[in-house]
Amino acid sequence: MTSSAPQGFAYSREQFQQIVEDVLAMAKAAGASDAGVEVSEGSGLSVSVRKGELENVERNRDKSVGVSVYLGQRRGNASTSDFSRQALEQTVKAAYDIARFTAEDPAAGLPDAEDLVSPAEAAMDLDLFHPWDLSAEVAAELARRAEAAALAVDKRITNSEGGAVSAQQSHFWAGNSRGFRGGYPSSRHSLSVSPIAGKGGGMQRDYWYSSMRDAMELASPEVVGRYAAERALSRLKSRTVATCEVPVLFESTTAAGLLGAYVQGTSGGSLYRKASFLQDSLGQAVWADHIDVIEEPHLMRGKASAPFDDEGVRTRARSVVAGGVVQNYFLSSYSARKLGMRTTGHAGGSQNLRLTSRLTQPGDHLDAMLRKLHRGLFVTELMGQGLNSVTGDYSRGAAGYWVEDGRIAFPVHEITIAGHMRDMLKQVVAVGADIYTQGGKTMGSVLIERMKLAGS
């Protein structure tokens, strides 16, 4: 990056680097034993339309400097959006004063030097930055095209909650008193539409979207619109079903939530607080024995790719689950110390997880998965946050389709599915080849052997 600010930003990397060095020097002069700094800037454009009319245009721009000051094992944090020297000095003083009056914590402190990313590793280019020079007029036209495509599919598409386009980008630079320096720019762009099918009490809404680092890789507005309309139409004449206990197939878009629950249960914060249904699960069989989960933090253009975590600790490709057995937790430096372990480079969360089954065949797309389900519920939408992360009890509102003889029979709504997450992970019968990436999680549809369904 040159000394001038990159496209869409007000500050250059060199300016950020200077702020980091200045703040670290201020912290040292104040008497800090250690310090960490991150300076960041973000900007973007969001535009929405409804029924062809422009509804909202929002431009966002924000910036921040965050400072962590350590006095031995006492820590203070403060932040500011003012980059003037006086404001930076006041922020360092605020963090220092907080640390002075904070109780000592044996786990507090910067990462150990040997865990920090090297300069060469920190400079790894993962191709995460693709700025989109998008005007509000062009964004609105893209959103209109998506909505118009949805409305043109069928006369039963009677209304719309609108189409939306977003272009977002940010960059940061971070450093600490143990030698870590690093930062990079990134972007995330999206296009979405939410059509409504039917009339009166029989109306059904669905949506679809496309999200990419590079706007040139987004699905076309017409493709997004048509698919959203097809999803809404397929839900017309939805009904409930009698309470029962049946197999449940999670569509690939909803299946990522199962992996998210597992990550939450094996994350350091939950584990050291003893607030996890997967307490002491390292080395234990938690998933069905045909399930593997790998982590790939260095995927080019990956939605959760990063050369280092939020603390500057290097990230590594690794096996998370092998043959159903837990291989690793997700730990920051602090949670690792609380557990008497070593950081895994996960301050800030997981990085590009991929769940697969050793039983999956290339032809196991949705039709094949429905045949494996045979009779039961195919879930395409989940409502609410129905997981008790301490006990593992799971209960969520759901919508989807009732399946008979391996074929969709009719759409279903106003039901609740329930189970225990430990049982659900163990009872994964199959994983489809209908791969989908939801955020930083990639997997196919997932068939659970049996769950409780509460209906009419």
Side-chain angles (χ1 to χ4, degrees):
M1 207 179 291
T2 64
S3 58
S4 61
Q7 180 179 330
F9 296 129
Y11 294 86
S12 68
R13 173 180 289 186
E14 287 75 15
Q15 288 173 301
F16 276 10
Q17 289 172 328
Q18 189 61 56
I19 290 172
V20 167
E21 299 307 320
D22 289 347
V23 172
L24 287 174
M26 293 173 191
K28 182 178 180 180
S33 55
D34 262 322
V37 186
E38 179 176 315
V39 55
S40 62
E41 177 188 11
S43 64
L45 169 69
S46 298
V47 175
S48 63
V49 302
R50 182 173 178 272
K51 300 187 79 170
E53 297 297 322
L54 185 65
E55 191 166 65
N56 183 64
V57 176
E58 180 180 337
R59 292 190 181 275
N60 59 285
R61 182 176 296 278
D62 55 79
K63 58 189 176 77
S64 176
V65 176
V67 186
S68 294
V69 165
Y70 295 89
L71 300 178
Q73 292 179 310
R74 291 176 293 165
R75 172 183 164 182
N77 297 91
S79 63
T80 181
S81 58
D82 184 345
F83 287 4
S84 69
R85 185 170 186 86
Q86 181 181 9
L88 296 177
E89 289 174 342
Q90 290 172 344
T91 303
V92 170
K93 183 179 186 304
Y96 181 87
D97 288 341
I98 292 169
R100 285 174 54 212
F101 295 103
T102 297
E104 286 196 0
D105 184 343
L110 294 174
D112 295 333
E114 60 266 28
D115 292 322
L116 292 171
V117 69
S118 70
E121 292 168 326
M124 185 186 305
D125 183 4
L126 299 177
D127 197 23
L128 305 181
F129 185 52
H130 295 270
W132 193 6
D133 187 13
L134 183 69
S135 68
E137 292 76 16
V138 171
E141 180 57 28
L142 291 171
R144 285 192 188 98
R145 284 169 55 191
E147 186 184 50
L151 292 168
V153 167
D154 191 290
K155 63 182 180 181
R156 292 171 295 170
I157 300 293
T158 57
N159 208 333
S160 167
E161 290 187 353
V165 171
S166 176
Q168 300 292 326
Q169 60 190 54
S170 63
H171 70 133
F172 76 97
W173 190 259
N176 66 35
S177 53
R178 295 189 179 180
F180 161 67
R181 300 290 188 277
Y184 50 88
S186 63
S187 58
R188 183 73 60 88
H189 314 301
S190 66
L191 166 69
S192 65
V193 65
S194 301
I196 297 171
K199 296 180 179 179
M203 286 193 303
Q204 293 289 339
R205 180 202 65 86
D206 213 318
Y207 78 101
W208 196 245
Y209 72 98
S210 179
S211 175
M212 291 291 173
R213 297 269 188 198
D214 185 349
M216 297 303 101
E217 295 179 353
L218 290 172
S220 75
E222 288 73 21
V223 167
V224 172
R226 285 195 296 268
Y227 188 55
E230 289 165 4
R231 289 178 69 93
L233 288 166
S234 68
R235 294 176 61 165
L236 287 174
K237 297 183 179 179
S238 287
R239 48 178 146 148
T240 189
V241 293
T243 297
C244 55
E245 195 167 316
V246 293
V248 173
L249 176 65
F250 288 84
E251 186 183 31
S252 54
T253 56
T254 61
L258 302 175
L259 186 52
Y262 170 78
V263 172
Q264 181 181 355
T266 52
S267 291
S270 298
L271 293 168
Y272 81 74
R273 294 186 183 97
K274 299 193 180 300
S276 169
F277 69 97
L278 292 175
Q279 203 73 38
D280 302 318
S281 58
L282 192 63
Q284 302 298 310
V286 166
W287 291 82
D289 62 8
H290 55 94
I291 297 298
D292 298 316
V293 180
I294 60 170
E295 188 168 31
E296 304 170 288
H298 302 154
L299 281 180
M300 301 300 284
R301 301 193 186 187
K303 293 180 182 178
S305 293
F308 50 85
D309 74 357
D310 288 357
E311 298 180 307
V313 172
R314 65 175 57 85
T315 54
R316 293 187 174 95
R318 61 178 192 156
S319 169
V320 176
V321 174
V325 177
V326 178
Q327 305 295 306
N328 287 285
Y329 289 151
F330 297 86
L331 308 177
S332 65
S333 295
Y334 183 84
S335 62
R337 290 174 186 138
K338 295 287 282 187
L339 293 166
M341 304 176 77
R342 187 172 181 178
T343 178
T344 58
H346 288 90
S350 61
Q351 304 128 7
N352 297 326
L353 297 177
R354 180 179 294 270
L355 182 146
T356 57
S357 165
R358 299 176 185 184
L359 304 179
T360 302
Q361 299 298 313
D364 284 342
H365 293 289
L366 183 56
D367 286 345
M369 293 298 287
L370 290 171
R371 290 193 293 271
K372 291 182 181 185
L373 171 63
H374 186 64
R375 179 180 184 272
L377 181 67
F378 174 38
V379 174
T380 59
E381 183 178 13
L382 293 166
M383 285 79 81
Q385 302 295 323
L387 172 66
N388 185 319
S389 59
V390 179
T391 66
D393 291 326
Y394 180 96
S395 178
R396 296 190 68 178
Y401 304 88
W402 185 255
V403 175
E404 290 280 358
D405 296 323
R407 299 172 67 89
I408 289 175
F410 54 85
V412 175
H413 67 169
E414 295 181 0
I415 57 172
T416 300
I417 54 174
H420 191 281
M421 187 56 69
R422 264 191 175 273
D423 295 335
M424 292 164 63
L425 301 183
K426 276 284 198 178
Q427 292 177 11
V428 174
V429 175
V431 177
D434 49 340
I435 301 299
Y436 186 79
T437 298
Q438 181 92 337
K441 299 175 179 65
T442 299
M443 58 200 298
S445 53
V446 171
L447 177 57
I448 306 292
E449 183 177 10
R450 193 157 293 272
M451 292 185 70
K452 293 177 182 177
L453 188 159
S456 58

